[in-house]
Amino acid sequence: MLTPRSFLMLCLIFAAANSHAQERESVAEFLRENLPRYSTMYRELHAAPELSFEEKETSRKMAAQLRELGFDVTERIGGYGVVGVLKNGAGPTLLLRSDLDALPVVEETGLPYASEVRTTTSRGETVGVMHACGHDMHMTMLTAALDYLAHHRDEWQGTLIAMFQPAEELGAGAKAMIADGLLTKFGRPDFALALHVAADKPVGQVFLRGGFVFANVDSVDITIHGRGGHGAFPHMTCDPIVIAAKLIVDLQTIASRETKPTDPVVVTVGAIQGGTKHNIIPDDCQLQLTVRSYGEKSREQVLSAIKRKAEAAAASADASEPTVEFSEGTPALYNDPELVARLQDVLSTSLGKDNVIESEPTMGGEDFGRIGGEGVPIVMISVGTLEPERLKSYQEAGEIPSLHSAKFYPHIESTITTGTNVLTAAALDLLGKD
C-alpha cells in the first residue's frame, strides 16, 4: 500500500512527465489507468521466481502477454527465451530486452509478496529462489511499455522486437539466443535497448553513459597438485595449500604491477578448498577466481598472467604443473556513444534534465553486451528504485541492500512509472514517424 508521502512522490513523477513533454501526456494517462494492473503483475512475478535455464512458467507468462498485445510470438529460443515481433509499416527495427531468471537466494525482505520458493539444484542442494536482481521489474517495465506502443501504433512506424532472455545470471542466455537465430530469424535490429534497476539510486532518476558500462567476466578454476602426507612431516610432502597461499598473494600483483593503472582490473579468489583434517597435508588444493576487465587486450593479458603465476608458484615448490581452466565468460557491455547522446536528450525532455544522470562504469557483468558485440548499437539504462524515506534510512544506517541481496526490493509503482516512460520515450523517438 502506498503511504501518503509515496503517493505524493508518484504524483510528482507523473507531473514531471507531463510538464517536460506535452507529447508524453498520453503515456502518463495510460499509466494512471494501468499501473495497478502492472503492480499486480510485478508482485506475481516476484512471488514465483525461477532459476537460470529453468524459466518455464515465467517464459510462458511473457509469451501470453505478448500474444495479447498482438505480437507474433516465438518461444524456446536459446532455452526458454521468447521473441515477439510487431510490424508497423516501413521504418527502423528496435529491439527491447528483458531478462527472466532469478537467483538462488532465500528472501529476507518480509514483504507480503515475498518469494517462498525452494528448489533442488543439480547437485542435490535445496536452495531458496528470489528475484534479487530485479528481473521481475525488468519484465514488468518492458511489458507496460510494449502495451502502450501496441495500442498507439499511430505514433510510430517500423518493427518492434521484444526479447525476453533466459539465464542472464549465468552470462549464457544472450549467447544461446543469438546462436538460435535471434538476429537472423526476426530481422536485424537497428538499435537495442535494455533497462536495469539500480539498488542504491532514488526513484524518478535514470543513469546512462557512453562507452564501457559493465566489465568482461571470466571464471578461472585452478588446481594445485602437491604430494600429501602427515602434517608432522612436511619435508616428506609437497604442500599444495602453502603453494595456493603464495599464489593468492601473487595474483593481486596483476592489477597493482602488471596492468596500466588506468585499466580497471579485478582478480578475486572467491573460494579455496583443500584438506580434510588438521594433521593431514592433502594432495590437491582448488581455487576459484572471478576476473573482471575492460577490453580484449586487458582481458587476454590478465588471463595469461594468472596462468603464468600459477605455474610459477608450483614450480617454486617443485610441484607438478597446476591445472588451470578458464570458463568462457561474459564480454564487456559497451554503450554506443552516439545513441546515448541521442537518448540523453530524449529522456531529459521526458523526465526532466536533472533526472537524467551520467552513470559510472561498474565491474559487474551483463550479457546484453553480446548484442552489441554483434554490431548492433546498444544502450543499457539504469533506473532508480528507492523512495526518499527508505533511501535516507539506509544511508543513516550505513548500509544499502545491493543487487543480489536477500533484502533488496524496489518501490513498485514509482519504478514501473519511470521505466515505462524511459522505454516509450526512447521507442517513440527511434521509431518516430517521418
Side-chain angles (χ1 to χ4, degrees):
M1 178 180 292
L2 285 174
T3 64
R5 185 170 179 179
S6 295
F7 180 75
L8 176 59
M9 175 184 61
L10 190 58
C11 291
L12 290 173
I13 292 174
F14 280 131
N18 280 328
S19 63
H20 288 289
Q22 186 65 35
E23 68 270 19
R24 304 293 290 149
E25 183 175 0
S26 58
V27 178
E29 292 172 349
F30 165 83
L31 284 168
R32 274 195 288 268
E33 180 180 349
N34 292 280
L35 191 56
R37 178 162 60 92
Y38 282 108
S39 298
T40 298
M41 174 183 170
Y42 167 79
R43 291 181 174 89
E44 291 174 349
L45 289 170
H46 186 85
E50 295 174 299
L51 294 177
S52 302
F53 284 133
E54 298 177 10
E55 311 95 335
K56 181 178 180 179
E57 287 303 310
T58 308
S59 172
R60 182 188 61 78
K61 291 174 184 176
M62 295 303 101
Q65 291 279 348
L66 289 175
R67 288 192 179 95
E68 287 184 13
L69 297 176
F71 282 73
D72 182 10
V73 178
T74 305
E75 299 182 64
R76 300 304 300 267
I77 301 295
Y80 284 114
V82 178
V83 176
V85 179
L86 185 62
K87 294 184 178 181
N88 190 29
T93 298
L94 171 64
L95 183 148
L96 300 178
R97 175 265 203 176
S98 172
D99 27 23
L100 298 168
D101 54 330
L103 288 158
V105 173
V106 177
E107 182 162 353
E108 298 178 7
T109 62
L111 296 166
Y113 53 89
S115 169
E116 297 180 358
V117 174
R118 301 291 183 272
T119 191
T120 302
T121 68
S122 58
R123 298 180 180 179
E125 303 168 325
T126 299
V127 297
V129 187
M130 176 190 175
H131 272 298
C133 199
H135 297 185
D136 46 356
M137 182 56 73
H138 300 170
M139 289 182 273
T140 305
M141 294 186 293
L142 176 53
T143 305
L146 296 174
D147 189 351
Y148 178 85
L149 293 169
H151 287 96
H152 295 80
R153 300 188 202 187
D154 58 321
E155 298 182 24
W156 60 278
Q157 62 185 36
T159 300
L160 193 58
I161 300 177
M163 172 188 179
F164 288 93
Q165 178 208 306
E168 186 280 327
E169 296 296 352
L170 298 181
K175 180 182 179 182
M177 292 189 74
I178 291 170
D180 210 0
L182 171 69
L183 302 178
T184 56
K185 293 179 180 178
F186 309 102
R188 185 174 180 83
D190 296 291
F191 316 99
L193 306 179
L195 300 183
H196 204 300
V197 294
D200 60 342
K201 304 298 183 184
V203 293
Q205 294 185 347
V206 298
F207 304 80
L208 69 163
R209 65 175 288 115
F212 286 116
V213 180
F214 290 91
N216 299 309
V217 180
D218 291 284
S219 297
V220 187
D221 291 271
I222 301 173
T223 301
I224 304 296
H225 303 292
R227 187 173 64 256
H230 200 297
F233 310 113
H235 61 290
M236 299 177 67
T237 72
C238 181
D239 192 337
I241 293 180
V242 173
I243 299 171
K246 171 182 171 56
L247 175 58
I248 290 171
V249 175
D250 286 347
L251 291 172
Q252 303 314 306
T253 65
I254 296 173
S256 65
R257 288 297 178 268
E258 294 196 25
T259 60
K260 288 174 60 177
T262 53
D263 289 344
V265 169
V266 174
V267 180
T268 295
V269 180
I272 175 170
Q273 298 171 329
T276 58
K277 197 175 184 299
H278 303 73
N279 61 349
I280 299 176
I281 293 173
D283 288 323
D284 300 310
C285 184
Q286 291 82 34
L287 304 177
Q288 296 179 8
L289 285 63
T290 187
V291 183
R292 311 296 170 110
S293 60
Y294 286 133
E296 281 305 308
K297 184 176 180 180
S298 292
R299 186 182 201 175
E300 292 172 5
Q301 179 184 2
V302 173
L303 297 181
S304 175
I306 289 171
K307 190 173 190 300
R308 169 169 44 83
K309 288 182 179 295
E311 292 172 347
S316 70
D318 198 25
S320 302
E321 184 174 316
T323 301
V324 183
E325 299 174 316
F326 299 98
S327 303
E328 185 173 3
T330 304
L333 190 154
Y334 185 88
N335 274 349
D336 183 82
E338 291 185 8
L339 186 53
V340 166
R342 178 174 177 175
L343 293 178
Q344 283 174 328
D345 290 340
V346 172
L347 298 179
S348 293
T349 301
S350 177
L351 302 175
K353 187 175 181 179
D354 292 342
N355 290 323
V356 181
I357 300 166
E358 183 173 2
S359 60
E360 296 181 356
T362 172
M363 300 307 284
E366 233 297 344
D367 70 352
F368 182 59
R370 288 193 182 276
I371 307 294
E374 296 294 321
V376 177
I378 68 168
V379 173
M380 174 164 273
I381 302 169
S382 295
V383 178
T385 60
L386 295 179
E387 64 274 33
E389 305 96 319
R390 185 152 57 103
L391 178 57
K392 182 179 179 181
S393 68
Y394 285 155
Q395 290 171 336
E396 291 174 348
E399 182 178 354
I400 301 177
S402 67
L403 296 175
H404 292 207
S405 165
K407 297 180 180 179
F408 165 72
Y409 65 97
H411 188 273
I412 299 174
E413 291 82 2
S414 302
T415 309
I416 293 173
T417 297
T418 304
T420 305
N421 269 293
V422 168
L423 289 177
T424 52
L428 291 175
D429 179 76
L430 297 173
L431 299 178
K433 286 196 169 182
D434 294 335

